[in-house]
Coordinates of all heavy atoms in Angstrom, one line a residue:
M7 N 3.8 -3.4 -0.5 CA 4.9 -4.3 -1.0 C 4.3 -5.5 -1.6 O 3.3 -6.1 -1.1 CB 5.8 -4.7 0.2 CG 6.6 -3.6 0.8 SD 7.9 -4.1 2.0 CE 7.2 -5.4 2.9
N8 N 4.8 -5.9 -2.8 CA 4.3 -7.0 -3.5 C 5.2 -8.2 -3.3 O 6.3 -8.1 -2.9 CB 4.2 -6.6 -5.0 CG 3.5 -7.6 -5.8 OD1 2.7 -8.4 -5.3 ND2 3.7 -7.6 -7.1
K9 N 4.7 -9.3 -3.6 CA 5.4 -10.6 -3.6 C 5.8 -11.1 -2.2 O 6.9 -11.7 -2.0 CB 6.7 -10.6 -4.5 CG 6.3 -10.4 -6.0 CD 7.5 -10.5 -6.9 CE 7.0 -10.3 -8.3 NZ 8.1 -10.6 -9.2
V10 N 5.1 -10.7 -1.2 CA 5.4 -11.2 0.1 C 5.2 -12.6 0.3 O 5.7 -13.2 1.3 CB 4.6 -10.4 1.2 CG1 4.9 -8.9 1.1 CG2 3.1 -10.6 1.1
D11 N 4.5 -13.3 -0.6 CA 4.3 -14.7 -0.5 C 5.6 -15.5 -0.8 O 5.7 -16.7 -0.5 CB 3.2 -15.2 -1.5 CG 3.5 -14.8 -2.9 OD1 4.1 -13.8 -3.1 OD2 3.1 -15.6 -3.8
M12 N 6.6 -14.8 -1.4 CA 7.8 -15.5 -1.8 C 8.9 -15.5 -0.7 O 9.9 -16.0 -0.8 CB 8.4 -14.9 -3.1 CG 7.4 -15.0 -4.2 SD 8.1 -14.7 -5.8 CE 9.2 -16.1 -6.0
V13 N 8.5 -14.8 0.4 CA 9.5 -14.6 1.5 C 9.0 -15.3 2.8 O 7.8 -15.1 3.2 CB 9.7 -13.1 1.8 CG1 10.7 -12.9 3.0 CG2 10.2 -12.3 0.6
D14 N 9.8 -16.2 3.3 CA 9.4 -16.9 4.5 C 9.7 -16.2 5.8 O 9.0 -16.4 6.8 CB 10.1 -18.3 4.5 CG 9.7 -19.2 3.4 OD1 8.5 -19.0 3.0 OD2 10.5 -20.0 2.9
D15 N 10.7 -15.3 5.8 CA 11.1 -14.7 7.0 C 10.5 -13.3 7.2 O 10.7 -12.4 6.3 CB 12.6 -14.6 7.0 CG 13.2 -14.1 8.3 OD1 12.5 -14.0 9.3 OD2 14.5 -14.0 8.4
A16 N 9.7 -13.1 8.2 CA 9.1 -11.8 8.5 C 10.1 -10.7 8.7 O 9.8 -9.5 8.4 CB 8.1 -11.9 9.6
E17 N 11.3 -11.0 9.2 CA 12.3 -10.0 9.5 C 12.8 -9.4 8.2 O 13.1 -8.2 8.1 CB 13.4 -10.6 10.3 CG 13.1 -10.9 11.7 CD 14.3 -11.4 12.5 OE1 15.4 -11.1 12.1 OE2 14.0 -12.0 13.5
I18 N 12.9 -10.2 7.1 CA 13.3 -9.6 5.9 C 12.3 -8.6 5.3 O 12.7 -7.6 4.8 CB 13.6 -10.8 4.9 CG1 14.8 -11.6 5.3 CG2 13.8 -10.2 3.4 CD1 15.1 -12.8 4.5
L19 N 11.0 -9.0 5.5 CA 10.0 -8.0 5.1 C 10.1 -6.7 5.8 O 9.9 -5.6 5.3 CB 8.6 -8.7 5.2 CG 8.3 -9.8 4.3 CD1 7.0 -10.5 4.7 CD2 8.3 -9.4 2.9
D20 N 10.3 -6.8 7.1 CA 10.5 -5.6 8.0 C 11.7 -4.8 7.5 O 11.6 -3.6 7.4 CB 10.7 -6.0 9.4 CG 9.5 -6.6 10.0 OD1 8.3 -6.4 9.5 OD2 9.6 -7.3 11.1
L21 N 12.8 -5.4 7.1 CA 13.9 -4.7 6.6 C 13.7 -4.0 5.3 O 14.1 -2.9 5.0 CB 15.1 -5.7 6.5 CG 15.8 -6.1 7.8 CD1 16.8 -7.2 7.5 CD2 16.4 -4.9 8.5
V22 N 12.9 -4.7 4.4 CA 12.6 -4.1 3.1 C 11.7 -2.9 3.3 O 11.9 -1.9 2.7 CB 11.9 -5.2 2.2 CG1 11.4 -4.5 1.0 CG2 12.9 -6.2 1.8
E23 N 10.7 -3.0 4.2 CA 9.9 -1.9 4.5 C 10.7 -0.7 5.1 O 10.4 0.4 4.7 CB 8.8 -2.3 5.5 CG 7.8 -1.2 5.8 CD 6.7 -1.6 6.7 OE1 6.4 -2.8 6.8 OE2 6.1 -0.7 7.4
L24 N 11.6 -1.0 6.0 CA 12.5 0.0 6.5 C 13.3 0.7 5.4 O 13.4 2.0 5.4 CB 13.4 -0.6 7.6 CG 14.3 0.4 8.3 CD1 13.5 1.4 9.1 CD2 15.3 -0.4 9.2
E25 N 13.8 0.0 4.5 CA 14.6 0.5 3.4 C 13.8 1.4 2.5 O 14.2 2.5 2.0 CB 15.3 -0.6 2.7 CG 16.5 -1.2 3.4 CD 17.2 -2.2 2.6 OE1 17.1 -2.2 1.4 OE2 17.9 -3.0 3.2
V26 N 12.5 1.0 2.2 CA 11.6 1.7 1.4 C 11.3 3.1 2.1 O 11.3 4.1 1.5 CB 10.4 0.9 1.1 CG1 9.3 1.8 0.5 CG2 10.7 -0.2 0.2
R27 N 11.1 3.0 3.4 CA 10.7 4.2 4.1 C 11.9 5.2 4.1 O 11.8 6.4 4.0 CB 10.3 3.9 5.5 CG 8.9 3.2 5.6 CD 8.5 3.0 7.0 NE 7.2 2.3 7.1 CZ 6.0 2.9 6.9 NH1 5.9 4.1 6.6 NH2 4.9 2.1 6.9
E28 N 13.2 4.6 4.3 CA 14.4 5.5 4.3 C 14.6 6.1 2.9 O 15.0 7.3 2.8 CB 15.6 4.7 4.7 CG 15.6 4.3 6.2 CD 16.7 3.4 6.6 OE1 17.5 3.0 5.7 OE2 16.9 3.1 7.8
L29 N 14.3 5.4 1.9 CA 14.4 5.9 0.5 C 13.4 7.0 0.3 O 13.7 8.0 -0.4 CB 14.2 4.8 -0.5 CG 14.6 5.1 -1.9 CD1 16.1 5.5 -2.1 CD2 14.3 3.9 -2.8
L30 N 12.2 6.8 0.8 CA 11.2 7.9 0.7 C 11.7 9.2 1.4 O 11.6 10.3 0.8 CB 9.9 7.4 1.2 CG 9.1 6.4 0.4 CD1 8.0 5.9 1.2 CD2 8.6 7.1 -0.9
K31 N 12.2 9.0 2.6 CA 12.8 10.2 3.3 C 13.9 10.8 2.6 O 14.0 12.1 2.6 CB 13.2 9.7 4.7 CG 12.1 9.4 5.6 CD 12.7 9.0 7.0 CE 11.8 8.1 7.7 NZ 12.4 7.6 9.0
K32 N 14.7 10.0 1.9 CA 15.9 10.6 1.2 C 15.4 11.6 0.1 O 16.0 12.6 -0.2 CB 16.7 9.5 0.6 CG 17.8 9.9 -0.3 CD 18.6 8.7 -0.9 CE 19.7 9.2 -1.8 NZ 20.3 8.1 -2.5
Y33 N 14.3 11.2 -0.5 CA 13.7 12.1 -1.6 C 12.6 13.0 -1.1 O 11.8 13.5 -1.8 CB 13.2 11.2 -2.7 CG 14.3 10.5 -3.5 CD1 14.7 9.2 -3.3 CD2 15.1 11.3 -4.4 CE1 15.7 8.6 -3.9 CE2 16.2 10.7 -5.0 CZ 16.5 9.4 -4.8 OH 17.5 8.8 -5.5
Q34 N 12.7 13.3 0.2 CA 11.9 14.3 0.9 C 10.4 14.0 0.9 O 9.5 14.9 0.8 CB 12.2 15.7 0.4 CG 13.6 16.1 0.6 CD 14.0 17.4 0.0 OE1 13.2 17.9 -0.8 NE2 15.2 17.8 0.3
F35 N 10.0 12.7 1.0 CA 8.6 12.3 1.2 C 8.5 11.9 2.6 O 9.4 11.5 3.3 CB 8.3 11.1 0.2 CG 8.2 11.5 -1.2 CD1 9.3 11.2 -2.0 CD2 7.1 12.0 -1.7 CE1 9.2 11.6 -3.4 CE2 7.0 12.3 -3.1 CZ 8.0 12.1 -3.9
P36 N 7.3 11.9 3.1 CA 7.1 11.5 4.5 C 7.1 10.0 4.7 O 6.0 9.4 4.8 CB 5.7 12.1 4.9 CG 5.0 12.1 3.6 CD 6.0 12.4 2.5
G37 N 8.3 9.4 4.8 CA 8.4 8.0 4.8 C 7.8 7.3 6.0 O 7.3 6.2 5.9
D38 N 7.7 8.0 7.2 CA 7.1 7.4 8.3 C 5.6 7.5 8.3 O 4.9 6.7 8.9 CB 7.6 8.1 9.6 CG 9.1 7.8 9.9 OD1 9.5 6.8 9.5 OD2 9.7 8.7 10.4
A39 N 5.0 8.4 7.5 CA 3.6 8.6 7.5 C 2.9 7.8 6.4 O 1.7 7.5 6.4 CB 3.3 10.0 7.3
V40 N 3.7 7.3 5.4 CA 3.1 6.6 4.3 C 2.7 5.2 4.7 O 3.5 4.5 5.2 CB 4.1 6.5 3.1 CG1 3.6 5.7 2.0 CG2 4.5 7.9 2.6
P41 N 1.4 4.8 4.4 CA 1.0 3.4 4.8 C 1.7 2.4 3.8 O 1.7 2.6 2.6 CB -0.5 3.4 4.6 CG -0.8 4.6 3.7 CD 0.3 5.6 3.9
V42 N 2.2 1.3 4.4 CA 2.8 0.3 3.5 C 1.9 -1.0 3.7 O 1.7 -1.4 4.9 CB 4.2 0.0 4.0 CG1 4.8 -1.2 3.2 CG2 5.1 1.2 3.7
V43 N 1.4 -1.5 2.7 CA 0.5 -2.6 2.7 C 1.3 -3.8 2.0 O 1.8 -3.7 0.9 CB -0.8 -2.4 1.9 CG1 -1.7 -3.6 2.0 CG2 -1.6 -1.2 2.6
R44 N 1.3 -4.9 2.7 CA 2.0 -6.1 2.2 C 1.0 -7.0 1.6 O -0.1 -7.2 2.1 CB 2.7 -6.8 3.4 CG 3.8 -6.0 4.0 CD 4.4 -6.7 5.2 NE 5.4 -5.9 5.8 CZ 6.1 -6.3 6.8 NH1 6.1 -7.5 7.3 NH2 7.0 -5.4 7.4
G45 N 1.3 -7.5 0.4 CA 0.4 -8.4 -0.3 C 1.1 -9.1 -1.4 O 2.3 -9.1 -1.6
S46 N 0.3 -9.9 -2.1 CA 0.8 -10.6 -3.3 C -0.2 -10.5 -4.4 O -1.4 -11.0 -4.3 CB 0.9 -12.1 -2.9 OG 1.2 -12.9 -4.1
A47 N 0.2 -9.9 -5.5 CA -0.7 -9.7 -6.6 C -1.0 -11.0 -7.2 O -2.2 -11.3 -7.7 CB -0.1 -8.8 -7.6
L48 N -0.1 -12.0 -7.3 CA -0.3 -13.3 -7.8 C -1.4 -14.0 -7.0 O -2.4 -14.6 -7.6 CB 0.9 -14.1 -7.9 CG 0.8 -15.5 -8.4 CD1 0.4 -15.5 -9.9 CD2 2.1 -16.3 -8.2
Q49 N -1.3 -14.0 -5.7 CA -2.3 -14.7 -4.9 C -3.6 -14.0 -5.0 O -4.7 -14.7 -5.0 CB -1.9 -14.8 -3.4 CG -0.8 -15.8 -3.2 CD -0.5 -15.9 -1.7 OE1 -0.8 -15.0 -0.9 NE2 0.3 -16.9 -1.4
A50 N -3.6 -12.7 -5.1 CA -4.9 -12.0 -5.2 C -5.6 -12.3 -6.5 O -6.8 -12.4 -6.6 CB -4.6 -10.5 -5.1
N51 N -4.8 -12.6 -7.6 CA -5.4 -12.9 -8.9 C -5.9 -14.3 -8.9 O -6.8 -14.6 -9.6 CB -4.4 -12.6 -10.0 CG -5.0 -12.6 -11.3 OD1 -6.1 -12.3 -11.5 ND2 -4.2 -13.1 -12.3
E52 N -5.2 -15.2 -8.2 CA -5.5 -16.6 -8.3 C -6.6 -17.1 -7.4 O -7.4 -18.0 -7.7 CB -4.3 -17.5 -8.0 CG -3.2 -17.4 -9.1 CD -2.0 -18.2 -8.7 OE1 -1.8 -18.6 -7.5 OE2 -1.2 -18.4 -9.6
K53 N -6.8 -16.4 -6.2 CA -7.8 -16.8 -5.2 C -9.1 -16.2 -5.5 O -9.2 -15.1 -6.0 CB -7.3 -16.5 -3.8 CG -6.1 -17.3 -3.4 CD -5.8 -16.9 -2.0 CE -4.6 -17.8 -1.5 NZ -4.2 -17.5 -0.2
P54 N -10.2 -16.9 -5.1 CA -11.5 -16.3 -5.3 C -11.6 -15.0 -4.5 O -11.0 -14.8 -3.5 CB -12.5 -17.3 -4.7 CG -11.7 -18.6 -4.8 CD -10.2 -18.2 -4.6
R55 N -12.5 -14.1 -4.9 CA -12.6 -12.8 -4.3 C -13.0 -12.9 -2.8 O -12.5 -12.1 -2.0 CB -13.7 -12.0 -5.0 CG -13.8 -10.6 -4.5 CD -14.1 -9.7 -5.7 NE -14.2 -8.3 -5.2 CZ -13.1 -7.5 -5.1 NH1 -11.9 -8.0 -5.2 NH2 -13.3 -6.3 -4.7
T56 N -13.7 -13.9 -2.4 CA -14.1 -13.9 -1.0 C -12.9 -14.3 -0.1 O -12.9 -13.9 1.0 CB -15.2 -15.0 -0.8 OG1 -14.7 -16.2 -1.3 CG2 -16.5 -14.6 -1.5
R57 N -12.0 -15.0 -0.6 CA -10.8 -15.4 0.2 C -9.8 -14.3 0.3 O -9.0 -14.3 1.2 CB -10.2 -16.7 -0.4 CG -11.2 -17.8 -0.3 CD -10.6 -19.1 -0.8 NE -9.6 -19.5 0.2 CZ -8.7 -20.5 -0.1 NH1 -8.6 -21.0 -1.2 NH2 -7.8 -20.8 0.9
R58 N -9.7 -13.4 -0.6 CA -8.7 -12.3 -0.6 C -9.3 -11.0 -0.2 O -8.6 -10.0 -0.3 CB -8.0 -12.2 -1.9 CG -8.9 -11.8 -3.1 CD -8.1 -11.8 -4.4 NE -8.9 -11.6 -5.5 CZ -9.2 -10.4 -6.1 NH1 -8.6 -9.3 -5.6 NH2 -9.9 -10.3 -7.1
R59 N -10.5 -10.9 0.2 CA -11.1 -9.7 0.5 C -10.4 -8.9 1.7 O -10.4 -7.7 1.7 CB -12.6 -9.9 0.9 CG -13.4 -8.7 1.0 CD -13.6 -8.1 -0.3 NE -14.4 -6.9 -0.2 CZ -14.2 -5.8 -0.9 NH1 -13.3 -5.8 -1.9 NH2 -14.9 -4.7 -0.8
G60 N -9.8 -9.6 2.6 CA -9.1 -9.0 3.7 C -8.0 -8.1 3.2 O -7.8 -7.0 3.7
A61 N -7.2 -8.6 2.3 CA -6.0 -7.9 1.8 C -6.5 -6.7 1.0 O -5.9 -5.6 1.0 CB -5.2 -8.7 0.9
D62 N -7.6 -6.8 0.2 CA -8.2 -5.7 -0.5 C -8.6 -4.6 0.4 O -8.4 -3.4 0.2 CB -9.4 -6.1 -1.4 CG -9.0 -7.1 -2.5 OD1 -7.8 -7.1 -2.8 OD2 -9.9 -7.7 -3.1
L63 N -9.3 -5.0 1.5 CA -9.8 -4.0 2.4 C -8.6 -3.3 3.1 O -8.7 -2.1 3.4 CB -10.7 -4.6 3.4 CG -12.0 -5.1 2.9 CD1 -12.8 -5.8 4.0 CD2 -12.8 -3.9 2.3
E64 N -7.5 -4.0 3.4 CA -6.4 -3.4 4.0 C -5.7 -2.4 3.1 O -5.3 -1.3 3.6 CB -5.3 -4.5 4.4 CG -4.1 -3.9 5.1 CD -3.1 -5.0 5.5 OE1 -3.4 -6.2 5.3 OE2 -2.0 -4.6 5.9
A65 N -5.6 -2.7 1.8 CA -5.0 -1.8 0.9 C -5.9 -0.5 0.7 O -5.5 0.6 0.7 CB -4.8 -2.4 -0.5
D66 N -7.2 -0.8 0.7 CA -8.2 0.4 0.6 C -8.1 1.2 1.8 O -8.1 2.5 1.7 CB -9.6 -0.1 0.4 CG -9.8 -0.8 -1.0 OD1 -9.0 -0.6 -1.9 OD2 -10.8 -1.5 -1.1
G67 N -8.0 0.6 3.0 CA -7.9 1.4 4.2 C -6.6 2.2 4.3 O -6.6 3.3 4.8
G68 N -5.5 1.7 3.7 CA -4.3 2.4 3.7 C -4.4 3.6 2.8 O -3.9 4.7 3.2
V69 N -5.0 3.5 1.7 CA -5.2 4.6 0.8 C -6.1 5.6 1.4 O -5.9 6.8 1.4 CB -5.8 4.2 -0.6 CG1 -6.2 5.3 -1.4 CG2 -4.7 3.3 -1.3
D70 N -7.2 5.2 2.0 CA -8.2 6.1 2.6 C -7.7 6.8 3.8 O -8.0 8.0 4.0 CB -9.5 5.3 3.0 CG -10.3 4.8 1.8 OD1 -10.1 5.3 0.7 OD2 -11.1 3.9 2.1
S71 N -6.8 6.2 4.5 CA -6.2 6.9 5.7 C -5.1 7.9 5.3 O -4.9 8.8 6.1 CB -5.6 5.9 6.6 OG -4.4 5.3 6.1
Y72 N -4.6 7.8 4.1 CA -3.5 8.7 3.7 C -3.9 9.8 2.8 O -3.4 10.9 2.9 CB -2.3 7.9 3.1 CG -1.1 8.7 2.9 CD1 -0.3 9.1 3.9 CD2 -0.7 9.0 1.6 CE1 0.8 9.9 3.7 CE2 0.4 9.8 1.4 CZ 1.2 10.2 2.4 OH 2.3 11.0 2.2
I73 N -4.7 9.5 1.9 CA -5.2 10.5 0.9 C -6.5 11.1 1.3 O -7.5 10.4 1.5 CB -5.4 9.8 -0.5 CG1 -4.0 9.2 -1.0 CG2 -5.9 10.8 -1.5 CD1 -4.1 8.5 -2.3
P74 N -6.5 12.4 1.5 CA -7.7 13.0 2.0 C -8.9 13.0 1.0 O -8.7 13.0 -0.2 CB -7.3 14.5 2.3 CG -6.1 14.7 1.4 CD -5.4 13.4 1.2
T75 N -10.1 13.0 1.5 CA -11.3 13.0 0.7 C -11.5 14.4 0.2 O -11.3 15.4 0.9 CB -12.5 12.5 1.5 OG1 -12.2 11.3 2.0 CG2 -13.7 12.5 0.6
R76 N -11.8 14.5 -1.1 CA -12.0 15.8 -1.7 C -13.2 16.4 -1.1 O -14.3 15.8 -1.0 CB -12.1 15.6 -3.2 CG -12.3 16.9 -3.9 CD -12.4 16.8 -5.4 NE -12.6 18.0 -6.0 CZ -13.2 18.2 -7.2 NH1 -13.5 17.1 -7.9 NH2 -13.4 19.4 -7.7
R77 N -13.1 17.7 -0.8 CA -14.3 18.5 -0.3 C -14.7 19.5 -1.4 O -13.8 20.0 -2.1 CB -13.9 19.1 1.0 CG -13.5 18.1 2.1 CD -13.6 18.7 3.4 NE -13.1 17.9 4.4 CZ -13.7 16.9 5.0 NH1 -15.0 16.6 4.7 NH2 -13.2 16.1 5.9
G78 N -15.9 19.8 -1.4 CA -16.4 20.8 -2.3 C -17.2 20.2 -3.4 O -17.7 19.1 -3.3
R79 N -17.4 21.0 -4.5 CA -18.2 20.5 -5.6 C -17.6 19.4 -6.4 O -16.4 19.6 -6.8 CB -18.5 21.7 -6.5 CG -19.4 22.7 -5.8 CD -19.7 23.9 -6.7 NE -19.7 23.5 -8.1 CZ -19.8 24.3 -9.1 NH1 -20.0 25.6 -8.9 NH2 -19.9 23.9 -10.4
W80 N -18.3 18.3 -6.6 CA -17.7 17.2 -7.4 C -18.0 17.5 -8.9 O -17.4 16.8 -9.7 CB -18.4 15.9 -7.0 CG -17.9 15.4 -5.7 CD1 -18.4 15.6 -4.5 CD2 -16.7 14.6 -5.5 NE1 -17.6 15.1 -3.5 CE2 -16.6 14.4 -4.1 CE3 -15.7 14.1 -6.4 CZ2 -15.5 13.7 -3.6 CZ3 -14.7 13.4 -5.8 CH2 -14.6 13.2 -4.4
T81 N -18.8 18.4 -9.2 CA -19.1 18.7 -10.6 C -18.1 19.6 -11.3 O -18.0 19.7 -12.5 CB -20.5 19.3 -10.8 OG1 -20.6 20.5 -10.1 CG2 -21.5 18.3 -10.4
S82 N -17.2 20.3 -10.5 CA -16.3 21.2 -11.1 C -15.1 20.4 -11.7 O -14.8 19.3 -11.3 CB -15.7 22.1 -10.0 OG -15.0 21.4 -9.0
R83 N -14.5 21.1 -12.6 CA -13.3 20.5 -13.3 C -12.1 20.7 -12.5 O -12.0 21.6 -11.7 CB -13.1 21.2 -14.7 CG -14.3 20.9 -15.6 CD -14.0 21.5 -16.9 NE -12.8 21.0 -17.4 CZ -12.6 20.5 -18.7 NH1 -13.6 20.5 -19.5 NH2 -11.4 20.1 -19.1
F84 N -11.1 19.9 -12.7 CA -9.8 20.0 -11.9 C -9.0 21.1 -12.5 O -8.9 21.4 -13.6 CB -9.1 18.7 -12.0 CG -9.7 17.6 -11.1 CD1 -10.5 16.7 -11.6 CD2 -9.4 17.6 -9.8 CE1 -11.1 15.7 -10.8 CE2 -9.9 16.6 -9.0 CZ -10.8 15.7 -9.5

């Protein structure tokens, strides 16, 4: 989720996340299994890399935990 820096109430963020998950389920995606990472693209762009590294790692971890690593030959074409 983007623009979490503009919301002061954590409950609203929880409700938005719940609605996103329900919408994913409505369209037959695994809404409960999809990792949701909260962040702010504006803050990530404005702050030095060392200060925003935690959010980057959280997003990378979410992707790594959900998308499987390709096994087999890396030289083959898709």
Side-chain angles (χ1 to χ4, degrees):
M7 292 189 321
N8 191 20
K9 298 188 179 187
V10 297
D11 59 325
M12 301 194 67
V13 180
D14 294 329
D15 190 3
E17 288 183 24
I18 292 176
L19 293 173
D20 292 338
L21 288 173
V22 170
E23 181 178 338
L24 181 64
E25 288 182 18
V26 168
R27 290 184 183 282
E28 288 176 358
L29 190 60
L30 287 168
K31 289 181 203 173
K32 177 181 175 184
Y33 290 102
Q34 299 174 352
F35 289 97
D38 292 330
V40 174
V42 175
V43 178
R44 298 177 183 186
S46 169
L48 180 64
Q49 284 184 349
N51 193 31
E52 290 178 345
K53 292 185 178 181
R55 184 140 183 85
T56 56
R57 296 182 72 193
R58 64 182 172 95
R59 191 69 183 144
D62 291 347
L63 291 175
E64 183 182 350
D66 291 345
V69 170
D70 290 343
S71 69
Y72 188 70
I73 299 175
T75 303
R76 181 177 177 203
R77 301 198 187 277
R79 292 181 28 187
W80 284 94
T81 58
S82 65
R83 296 182 57 129
F84 287 96

